[in-house]
Amino acid sequence: MNLANPTNPLEFKSIEVSAKILVLFGTRPEAIKLAPVINELRSIKRFHTIVVSSSQHTDLLTPFLRLFDLETDYDLKVMTDNQTPNQVLSKTIASLDEILENEKPDLILVQGDTTTTLAGALTGFNRDIAVGHVEAGLRTGNIRSPFPEEMNRRLISQATTFHFAATSENRQNLLREHVPESRIYLTGNTIVDSLNFIRRKYSPSDAIRSVVNQTNRMRPILLTTHRRESFRRDMRENLLVLRDFIQKHSNTCLIFPVHPNPNVRNITNQILKGVDRVHLLEPVDYTDFIHLMENSWLIVSDSGGVQEEAPTLGKPVFILRENTERPEAVRCGIAKLVGGNPRKFGRMLEDNYLADTWIRSVKQVQNPFGDGKSAKRIANILTSLSRPLSINK
Ligand code: UDP
């Protein structure tokens, strides 16, 4: 099979019906979103699926591999303490290139906008191997925010052959950048598949049930924050706002699984350690995190995945960022942007505490990001792409 040649789809020649597909991930969100795709691909006999982890994150990633029963064929082990995105990029490219030399896959499948994703797309492009990009077309319009993800997204799209867009807005973003329409596939976001799978299959741990039991008569705020561009100033200010809010209102509490990044840990320890009704946790596994989301009064987060999970769970989210590449979350009424101005964030917390009409009105809505069948759609598209007749239609 030859899936390469990004310029003219009619030049695709599918000689063999079977294909070798290399799937690459390196961080928690990539594992969550690629797990259902890998499982679909592995169930299709004509595909030989090779799974590669860069281990851009190790501690965060490992529990997710177990949870989704993901076996990796190669581990690039690129993670070391405090390294820069450039170091991750160069190490991943160098190691992956050797694997491509040996395995000679027909397609590389990457997901999202991390440094690992960029490394996979570039390495594939340089070897003239087709690249499939899951969750293509997310844009904030600000090249520096989120940093470096927005730049990664644009570069990845340039190197991509098949763009799997989660929403029609994502598809439009790609069309605006002159990606050929025939290369864009509207699939939904596979995070909904994973969320449904985990909720069906697992129950939360006793430790997390106990945290929820301790706080269920209060208004628990669940916090995640780890974005690189927030380290400089905003993170400190936002944590101070949250601390003051919790201290002021005795029926509130804060649950914060703290990201292992040392910048996040230092600021958090300085501001929140030892504060009453603040529960600082290690990052929790997906089952437990879903349970925390379900039982929160409000979620405050700068995470992308959390915005995509909230509509299924019917939970309100304050997005701790100035912009979002997921405007669908705001539009469906589940999320509000509160970042970039800590005083405004504080005011919004107070306003919603005094009159929590919005918070109480947020309900489960049809998830604008996906219907839980996205992985199957992607696998079906790849199957049809590898079939000679359909490709030349
Ligand atoms: N998450 C988790 N445990 C935690 C914090 C987050 O399982 O302690 C999940 C969350 O539900 C979401 C994903 O991890 O699906 C978000 O990961 P992250 O914030 O690292 O990445 P982003 O979504 O911003 O790309």
Side-chain angles (χ1 to χ4, degrees), residues 165-170 186-192 307-314 326-335 363-372 374 377:
T167 69
S168 41
E169 183 125 358
N170 301 157
L186 195 57
T187 59
N189 198 310
T190 53
I191 197 164
V192 184
Q307 296 170 53
E308 295 158 346
E309 289 154 346
T312 297
L313 304 174
R326 291 158 171 100
E328 297 87 349
V330 177
R331 234 180 282 126
C332 79
I334 217 102
K363 299 226 163 26
Q364 246 177 320
V365 289
Q366 194 178 8
N367 196 322
F369 298 102
D371 60 1
S374 304
R377 247 172 239 128

Side-chain angles (χ1 to χ4, degrees), residues 20-69:
K20 204 184 245 193
I21 299 180
L22 186 149
V23 188
L24 173 72
F25 58 77
T27 65
R28 170 172 70 186
E30 291 163 78
I32 293 175
K33 291 172 177 180
L34 281 174
V37 182
I38 292 168
N39 286 332
E40 286 294 336
L41 292 178
R42 283 202 158 144
S43 72
I44 300 173
K45 286 216 173 63
R46 63 198 290 185
F47 292 142
H48 176 186
T49 306
I50 305 165
V51 177
V52 181
S53 168
S54 74
S55 289
Q56 180 177 334
H57 293 161
T58 34
D59 296 350
L60 278 183
L61 191 61
T62 315
F64 289 83
L65 301 185
R66 260 185 265 120
L67 204 62
F68 287 106
D69 221 359

Side-chain angles (χ1 to χ4, degrees), residues 184-200:
I184 308 172
Y185 305 87
L186 195 57
T187 59
N189 198 310
T190 53
I191 197 164
V192 184
D193 308 29
S194 291
L195 183 62
N196 293 345
F197 169 79
I198 296 292
R199 289 173 93 200
R200 264 196 321 268

Side-chain angles (χ1 to χ4, degrees), residues 146-158:
F147 182 93
E149 288 88 350
E150 178 78 359
M151 174 61 104
N152 290 350
R153 291 170 186 152
R154 297 188 195 192
L155 297 173
I156 293 159
S157 293
Q158 291 294 311

